[in-house]
Amino acid sequence: MDRHSHSGLLAALLASTVLATAAQAQTARVEAPAPLGAPASTTLEQLSVEGQGGVTVGYLTKATRSASKTDTLLIDTPKSVTIVTQEQIRDQNFQNLTEQLRYVPGVIPAQGENNRDEVVIRGQKSNADFFVNGVRDDVQYFRDLYNIQRIEVLKGPDSLIFGRGGGGGVVNRVLKEADGYRVREIVAGGGQFGDKRVAVDVGDRVSDSAFFRLNGVFEDSGTYRQFGELTRYGFNPTMTFLIDPQTTLKLSYEYFHDDRFPDRGIPSQFGRAYRYKQNIATFFGNPDVNFTKVDANIATAVLDHTFDNGVQLRSQFRFADYDRFYRNTLPGGAVNNAGTAVTITGYRNETNRTNYFSQNDFTYKFLTGDIKHTLLGGVELGYQEGIVFRQTGFFNNVATSIVVNPLSPVTRVPVTFRNNGGSDANSRYDLGLAAVYAQDQVEINEYLQLIGGLRYDHFDFSATDRRTNVTNARVDDLLSPRAGIVLKPLPNLAFYGSYSVSYLPSSGDQIGAFTPGLVIAQPERFENTEVGVKYDLTPSIQLTAAAYNLDRFNQRLADPNNPGFFILSGKTNTQGFEIGANGYVTDWWQIAGGYSFTDARIDSATSATIVKGNTVGLVPFNAVSLWNKFDVTREFSIGIGYIYQGHTFATSDDTIRLPGYNRFDLGLFYKISDTVRAQVNIENIFDRGYIYTADNNNNITPGAPRTVRAQIIVKF
């Protein structure tokens, strides 16, 4: 597709939203929540209806629209879904999205070069499978939680709902909305390593038909790692307009800035992380160089309308512009056998991007005899453009690496950066995508439900090398099916089975440079078969279990006879089992978490060292994460968290073993009054030394030592 065609697609994308001129009026909440800090009385009357189809009590969300693009109870959704509610986010007091997901069964944190969110879901690593209210948010950066109502993790590939990627699943953030309720809240906190943070949430009615809300945050903090520091701030005003009883318009704008010291961690030696218990804080590299930042401007319009014939329209348009770069020095290899030398290398990446997305969903409920249907049809248009510009670091403007003593690994040798010819990308890219999809949720009777759908994606990507003006382009037309069945012998018990497919185009997780070898490569394909059970033990606790088989095809093996080209024989297989629990065990005890068994294997060679039978990197066979909150009195509560992870390997070549670990976290909560709550969180309370994650065999991140944070929440 040439630039003229891309301009036409962008015009069509904008027009598709402008033509959708209305939105369905939506009740934001059934009942105001209980006073802050009060013990819950787990009755159905306390359920709150939130934006984007959520129905929540405590740590349990009962329904969401994200898994099917229709408002559907989780028990009726033939898919594994874990939702982290705002109450859980508040209680655990993690401010990084990746760390917050650590209590989601089957999700493992990845380092992401310590400049972005990155996770492993069902054996598939991704830094692009992130969404906001169901719309793609795929730029590499750290996402804050100041304006988040809840986090949804939808596991298993499902291109029908989210489009490309999502091989192991996706992470969807649901934003706070202007819902017409009076909100006045300040959250101020601090802690070890110079942690300082304040967030505000203010909302009210401007009139009976216009609501306003503003969320803002400022943070200036250090980290447990040597030289670690970060500054971030953002604000997110939103407006809701009730145009008429059938129409709602929601507008949102966010500006977010994040800059910090990226730290790629420590190297390895003899197949293990190098002296990691002595190097919990040790930085390897030049601290005068490392820096990363993002400035994001994101505007969203959501229009909902219910037509007189019962058809419901939801139209979302999002514009997002990201000014993004990062600069790193890092361990470039293992420590030598004598323990006297390790290389340091460096690079700089610029990855600015602008996204335009338009989603338009039509939903219609009808009967054929006694059979109930919820029919969904939709169109998604997208346009993304940006640059990828990489520069190699030259020490003393001469060498691409420098050798240091690993016992004194900080260097101050000056580093300059320049584009190093063919080994460094220097491209401008354009991506146009268009998709149509249809889905039918069929309720045969009270015991049997079916779901089936199909999505067609037209994916048109081109990248132009800015040095040679050579353009490489590829077009893919992809069909992604989805099918599921739900058997409900009891209203509160459901057994399900599902099959779903997704694709990852040859441009990869992060669109950018496009080589001739990638142009001719077929997209990767993910196929997931899953069976599971969901049981509402009471109206305020849900137990879940799922077993699955996930195959990944067409992974690229470097062609030894044709450098720069690939053999598409790579395959991985992941088989696993997950159990989860969310909600109130009693009216004084809440839980969130579960257990996952994951056997992720290389099923055929994907490189000379990543061969059949290897375990996929960063994927433990066994992992447990469980958070408990006990209301001791009306004023005082205790939170106890436990994380266990079996050993993993840093990468899929299985040469560097990362040991398993146990970690305990603690939360103490005290309600000073009906409007003021104080809390203290202690991460890794027993101060265990452990390896948290890695990016490769020689960029390994030690876990944080015992870390104390405190905050006070004031409502007025």
Side-chain angles (χ1 to χ4, degrees):
M1 181 181 289
D2 59 25
R3 291 185 182 274
H4 182 270
S5 299
H6 276 157
S7 298
L9 175 60
L10 178 57
L13 184 155
L14 292 166
S16 69
T17 299
V18 172
L19 291 174
T21 57
Q24 176 190 7
Q26 187 177 31
T27 302
R29 187 160 299 179
V30 172
E31 179 177 288
L36 184 65
S41 174
T42 56
T43 63
L44 282 175
E45 286 74 15
Q46 283 189 295
L47 289 174
S48 63
V49 181
E50 301 171 340
Q52 296 290 311
V55 182
T56 296
V57 55
Y59 292 171
L60 174 65
T61 293
K62 303 279 287 185
T64 180
R65 67 174 293 112
S66 301
S68 60
K69 286 184 174 287
T70 63
D71 294 331
T72 304
L73 292 172
L74 286 184
I75 199 169
D76 294 334
T77 302
K79 186 179 185 68
S80 181
V81 180
T82 300
I83 297 178
V84 183
T85 67
Q86 187 186 32
E87 183 172 330
Q88 183 180 339
I89 294 170
R90 178 67 49 83
D91 287 348
Q92 293 177 328
N93 195 17
F94 297 121
Q95 301 305 330
N96 290 319
L97 176 62
T98 300
E99 179 67 13
Q100 183 66 68
L101 295 174
R102 194 60 191 86
Y103 277 90
V104 175
V107 177
I108 302 299
Q111 185 194 87
E113 301 181 68
N114 204 4
N115 63 55
R116 60 181 180 261
D117 291 313
E118 190 163 309
V119 293
V120 182
I121 306 176
R122 291 190 171 178
Q124 317 302 320
K125 182 196 288 188
S126 177
N127 52 56
D129 294 323
F130 296 95
F131 291 75
V132 176
N133 291 354
V135 180
R136 185 172 295 274
D137 177 45
D138 56 1
V139 172
Q140 298 176 329
Y141 72 108
F142 282 115
R143 296 153 180 87
D144 200 275
L145 305 179
Y146 76 101
N147 59 346
I148 301 304
Q149 186 68 33
R150 65 180 182 276
I151 304 165
E152 303 174 328
V153 182
L154 300 98
K155 302 170 191 174
D158 195 342
S159 279
L160 188 145
I161 302 300
F162 291 99
R164 71 183 191 268
V170 304
V171 178
N172 182 54
R173 292 176 295 146
V174 177
L175 299 180
K176 297 176 182 178
E177 295 180 346
D179 55 13
Y181 278 75
R182 186 181 186 277
V183 180
R184 302 286 190 276
E185 181 180 272
I186 296 177
V187 181
Q192 284 181 266
F193 314 114
D195 184 23
K196 301 176 290 295
R197 179 183 172 95
V198 61
V200 297
D201 185 358
V202 177
D204 215 330
R205 290 176 175 245
V206 179
S207 68
D208 289 342
S209 59
F211 311 150
F212 172 78
R213 192 165 185 176
L214 173 66
N215 280 272
V217 67
F218 177 81
E219 180 174 353
D220 181 17
S221 296
T223 76
Y224 68 97
R225 294 285 292 167
Q226 189 180 14
F227 308 112
E229 60 181 3
L230 67 93
T231 300
R232 54 184 166 185
Y233 48 87
F235 59 89
N236 181 196
T238 65
M239 291 288 295
T240 297
F241 299 96
L242 306 182
I243 297 173
D244 60 44
Q246 296 174 278
T247 308
T248 303
L249 170 65
K250 298 177 183 178
L251 301 176
S252 171
Y253 166 74
E254 180 182 15
Y255 171 75
F256 182 70
H257 170 89
D258 183 299
D259 68 68
R260 64 181 66 209
F261 184 89
D263 179 355
R264 296 285 294 268
I266 66 176
S268 65
Q269 185 188 43
F270 305 130
R272 300 290 188 269
Y274 172 68
R275 302 177 72 241
Y276 73 89
K277 291 187 178 181
Q278 291 76 39
N279 287 315
I280 289 175
T282 308
F283 172 71
F284 284 70
N286 185 334
D288 300 328
V289 172
N290 288 33
F291 181 73
T292 180
K293 72 104 175 177
V294 64
D295 285 287
N297 289 275
I298 305 169
T300 306
V302 182
L303 301 113
D304 291 333
H305 180 67
T306 301
F307 295 96
D308 291 339
N309 61 4
V311 174
Q312 294 179 323
L313 165 67
R314 165 161 291 184
S315 180
Q316 292 195 75
F317 176 77
R318 174 166 294 133
F319 164 83
D321 182 76
Y322 306 88
D323 181 5
R324 169 88 171 101
F325 87 92
Y326 49 99
R327 194 173 63 212
N328 264 319
T329 54
L330 61 147
V335 175
N336 68 350
N337 289 347
T340 58
V342 62
T343 61
I344 301 296
T345 62
Y347 68 97
R348 181 188 186 278
N349 256 347
E350 186 176 346
T351 57
N352 298 337
R353 182 178 299 170
T354 303
N355 290 346
Y356 307 82
F357 287 106
S358 174
Q359 290 184 0
N360 302 278
D361 297 333
F362 297 86
T363 306
Y364 182 55
K365 297 183 179 182
F366 63 96
L367 294 173
T368 55
D370 293 329
I371 299 175
K372 300 177 182 178
H373 296 261
T374 301
L375 187 64
L376 167 75
V379 177
E380 180 174 2
L381 298 174
Y383 179 73
Q384 298 178 267
E385 61 180 350
I387 63 171
V388 54
F389 179 55
R390 190 181 194 277
Q391 296 175 303
T392 297
F394 288 82
F395 293 82
N396 277 328
N397 204 27
V398 176
T400 58
S401 65
I402 188 172
V403 176
V404 300
N405 187 328
L407 297 177
S408 181
V410 173
T411 176
R412 303 284 182 172
V413 172
V415 183
T416 57
F417 296 91
R418 57 180 180 267
N419 191 257
N420 196 22
S423 62
D424 285 340
N426 185 2
S427 295
R428 177 170 293 280
Y429 58 82
D430 299 90
L431 166 66
L433 63 94
V436 293
Y437 43 89
Q439 173 186 272
D440 193 9
Q441 293 170 266
V442 183
E443 185 177 339
I444 305 296
N445 53 43
E446 61 183 311
Y447 306 108
L448 176 62
Q449 300 175 27
L450 304 174
I451 186 172
L454 187 67
R455 177 177 175 127
Y456 164 76
D457 278 284
H458 177 78
F459 189 90
D460 188 337
F461 180 73
S462 65
T464 300
D465 191 309
R466 298 194 295 178
R467 296 161 299 198
T468 64
N469 285 325
V470 172
T471 299
N472 290 302
R474 179 183 173 90
V475 174
D476 288 298
D477 295 297
L478 307 172
L479 286 174
S480 306
R482 177 193 192 190
I485 183 172
V486 179
L487 301 174
K488 297 184 70 175
L490 299 171
N492 62 332
L493 175 65
F495 299 91
Y496 71 87
S498 67
Y499 172 79
S500 57
V501 173
S502 72
Y503 291 90
L504 183 64
S506 55
S507 52
D509 217 24
Q510 286 293 333
I511 53 179
F514 212 28
T515 65
L518 292 174
V519 168
I520 64 173
Q522 295 293 319
E524 296 187 49
R525 186 174 84 254
F526 303 83
E527 295 185 10
N528 187 73
T529 305
E530 180 175 329
V531 295
V533 59
K534 301 180 181 183
Y535 180 42
D536 287 344
L537 186 63
T538 70
S540 55
I541 185 170
Q542 185 171 89
L543 309 178
T544 62
Y548 63 89
N549 182 85
L550 172 57
D551 288 309
R552 180 175 186 172
F553 301 93
N554 291 344
Q555 287 184 276
R556 291 177 286 277
L557 168 65
D559 188 342
N561 300 314
N562 195 1
F565 290 78
F566 305 93
I567 301 170
L568 299 181
S569 62
K571 179 185 175 184
T572 62
N573 171 259
T574 305
Q575 297 181 355
F577 176 76
E578 300 166 355
I579 59 175
N582 288 80
Y584 283 92
V585 180
T586 70
D587 61 0
W588 50 267
W589 175 19
Q590 287 193 80
I591 60 173
Y595 162 79
S596 63
F597 168 79
T598 312
D599 186 4
R601 299 281 184 171
I602 304 298
D603 208 29
S604 66
T606 59
S607 76
T609 57
I610 301 175
V611 298
K612 183 178 176 66
N614 280 13
T615 300
V616 173
L618 297 183
V619 183
F621 286 105
N622 297 284
V624 176
S625 56
L626 185 63
W627 176 263
N628 303 265
K629 183 183 179 184
F630 305 96
D631 294 326
V632 180
T633 68
R634 181 175 177 81
E635 292 79 20
F636 179 61
S637 301
I638 298 175
I640 299 175
Y642 173 68
I643 293 173
Y644 164 76
Q645 179 177 299
H647 80 270
T648 65
F649 293 97
T651 66
S652 299
D653 65 13
D654 289 8
T655 59
I656 306 301
R657 188 179 189 272
L658 308 180
Y661 66 89
N662 295 271
R663 189 183 98 187
F664 286 89
D665 298 334
L666 179 68
L668 303 173
F669 316 101
Y670 186 75
K671 177 188 170 188
I672 299 172
S673 69
D674 286 344
T675 58
V676 180
R677 188 181 83 166
Q679 74 180 73
V680 175
N681 291 86
I682 306 175
E683 178 184 329
N684 190 13
I685 189 171
F686 296 117
D687 201 23
R688 297 289 300 273
Y690 68 100
I691 294 297
Y692 177 58
T693 186
D695 188 71
N696 58 47
N697 286 340
N698 290 292
N699 293 172
I700 302 167
T701 300
R706 182 189 299 115
T707 303
V708 180
R709 298 184 300 274
Q711 69 179 13
I712 188 165
I713 305 160
V714 180
K715 294 178 180 287
F716 57 94

